[in-house]
Amino acid sequence: MFFTVGRPLSVSLWLTAPLLFAVSVLGLTAIGGILLAASWQVTLSSALWGGAAAITAVLGGAVAWRSREQRMMLAIPYPVTLLLTGLALDDVTVPTQWAIGLSVPAMLTLVYLCGRRRSRQASATR
């Protein structure tokens, strides 16, 4: 919560951003495994969920919170929940087809959201 990014983020975008990130990374890892003809399966890792928790914590300063209570109820517990989920699901194998199938819509959503945000910032500076 030490820096902000442009305009305020909505709470719903803040809640979904780390999950979209985690699913996208999982899918890219699966695609990399296929390209390398790797014998390993894609697994959920605590590092992946730790990264998602870090993204959530960093973006928390850019959220347009509706109230102080909402911030208190979400800003700290949500990243901690993501981190604890990562510890609980560490080394759980995900079928490659599922990882790729879920990551495609996640990556498209992230690209769309980034493009929409960039076009809004460009039109605001004109």
Side-chain angles (χ1 to χ4, degrees):
M1 296 186 218
F2 295 108
F3 80 94
T4 59
V5 289
R7 293 181 174 177
L9 297 173
S10 67
V11 176
S12 59
L13 179 59
W14 178 76
L15 290 169
T16 58
L19 301 176
L20 292 172
F21 164 79
V23 172
S24 297
V25 169
L26 194 67
L28 289 172
T29 305
I31 292 169
I34 289 172
L35 293 175
L36 296 172
S39 60
W40 44 263
Q41 290 288 322
V42 179
T43 59
L44 296 173
S45 70
S46 57
L48 175 64
W49 288 92
I55 288 170
T56 308
V58 167
L59 291 177
V63 177
W65 300 104
R66 293 186 185 105
S67 65
R68 185 172 190 260
E69 290 79 23
Q70 183 186 42
R71 182 177 182 162
M72 296 296 288
M73 296 295 291
L74 290 175
I76 300 296
Y78 186 59
V80 170
T81 301
L82 289 174
L83 189 59
L84 294 176
T85 301
L87 293 174
L89 297 177
D90 189 36
D91 211 27
V92 171
T93 303
V94 177
T96 302
Q97 298 85 354
W98 278 90
I100 294 171
L102 291 173
S103 71
V104 171
M107 286 186 273
L108 291 173
T109 302
L110 283 173
V111 168
Y112 169 75
L113 291 172
C114 289
R116 188 178 78 174
R117 187 168 185 84
R118 184 174 295 245
S119 67
R120 283 184 182 173
Q121 287 177 342
S123 65
T125 59
R126 290 182 189 173

